[in-house]
Amino acid sequence: DQQVKQNSPSLSVQEGRISILNCDYTNSMFDYFLWYKKYPAEGPTFLISISSIKDKNEDGRFTVFLNKSAKHLSLHIVPSQPGDSAVYFCAASFNSGGSNYKLTFGKGTLLTVNP
Amino acid sequence: NAGVTQTPKFRVLKTGQSMTLLCAQDMNHEYMYWYRQDPGMGLRLIHYSVGEGTTAKGEVPDGYNVSRLKKQNFLLGLESAAPSQTSVYFCASSYAGWRLAGGRRQETQYFGPGTRLLVL
């Protein structure tokens, strides 16, 4: 049962254009969502997050949109740069009331930004 | 401030051999995690720890053991390696506090560079 889905294994865009990476989730208990970026031979690095009380969060060229009714979030990168080429993971969590906060990850989307 | 470090970076094992992967963090994080990443599978949680001396099973714990004797270290052990354990292993850590500076919640995990393990 895959609770966080990234249905596009890969995405290719031109430098300067917008990149849109999508993520769907099935567990309505999720209330916090994160995007991680991963370069080859490196660990994932935190990129941006959003709480379920918001529908948009922006950080420089990166914006995450959350549509709770559709259980969908997306990451927009504008403008895209060749250095953005990486695998992007979507992750989600919920506060179960306990003291352990686990993340559920999607399978990732490989973004290639062509010069 | 090195963040999260992992030792070794790469290792080749024969089936049946044992080894321990070491994770260390210098951020004073309470929580630590071990993941494995396989092609097309994303990141899957093996074991995690919410504090010194405590561990718990994640999504794929079979064939692995862990220990957290010190707050800054989290060890992942393979007692008898199998080819199915060929993977890239990532350690991560996070705060346990309710709210962080900038409103970033404690679920934000910080990852090490990974250990690539090949079991023949």
Side-chain angles (χ1 to χ4, degrees), chain B residues 53-67:
Chain B
T54 69
T55 62
K57 294 180 180 179
E59 181 186 354
V60 288
D62 294 342
Y64 305 96
N65 56 76
V66 288
S67 64

Side-chain angles (χ1 to χ4, degrees), chain A residues 73-115:
Chain A
L73 65 154
S74 60
L75 174 68
H76 292 211
I77 305 174
V78 184
S80 301
Q81 299 173 354
D84 296 328
S85 297
V87 175
Y88 289 79
F89 289 103
C90 172
S93 73
F94 65 91
N95 184 344
S96 64
S99 60
N100 52 320
Y101 297 105
K102 293 180 285 185
L103 296 178
T104 301
F105 285 86
K107 294 185 177 182
T109 296
L110 173 62
L111 173 65
T112 302
V113 181
N114 301 302

Side-chain angles (χ1 to χ4, degrees), chain B residues 41-56:
Chain B
M41 297 297 291
L43 292 159
R44 293 184 292 170
L45 183 64
I46 305 171
H47 286 280
Y48 63 99
S49 168
V50 300
E52 187 176 320
T54 69
T55 62

Side-chain angles (χ1 to χ4, degrees), chain B:
Chain B
N1 189 344
V4 180
T5 58
Q6 293 183 232
T7 308
K9 288 184 171 54
F10 176 69
R11 183 77 182 267
V12 179
L13 286 180
K14 294 181 180 178
T15 298
Q17 287 185 318
S18 63
M19 79 163 293
T20 300
L21 284 68
L22 170 64
C23 175
Q25 52 96 4
D26 61 2
M27 296 176 282
N28 202 32
H29 285 167
E30 289 82 4
Y31 298 162
M32 296 187 74
Y33 312 81
W34 275 108
Y35 292 89
R36 59 179 289 173
Q37 186 195 10
D38 303 291
M41 297 297 291
L43 292 159
R44 293 184 292 170
L45 183 64
I46 305 171
H47 286 280
Y48 63 99
S49 168
V50 300
E52 187 176 320
T54 69
T55 62
K57 294 180 180 179
E59 181 186 354
V60 288
D62 294 342
Y64 305 96
N65 56 76
V66 288
S67 64
R68 182 110 180 260
L69 300 180
K70 293 183 179 180
K71 184 178 183 179
Q72 64 267 34
N73 295 337
F74 195 27
L75 305 179
L76 177 71
L78 287 74
E79 291 187 347
S80 179
S84 61
Q85 293 177 304
T86 293
S87 187
V88 181
Y89 292 86
F90 291 102
C91 175
S93 68
S94 67
Y95 287 108
W98 176 245
R99 193 172 297 278
L100 303 173
R104 185 181 300 174
R105 271 173 44 167
Q106 64 271 30
E107 292 95 325
T108 303
Q109 296 178 14
Y110 299 86
F111 284 81
T115 294
R116 185 174 298 271
L117 177 65
L118 175 62
V119 183
L120 302 175

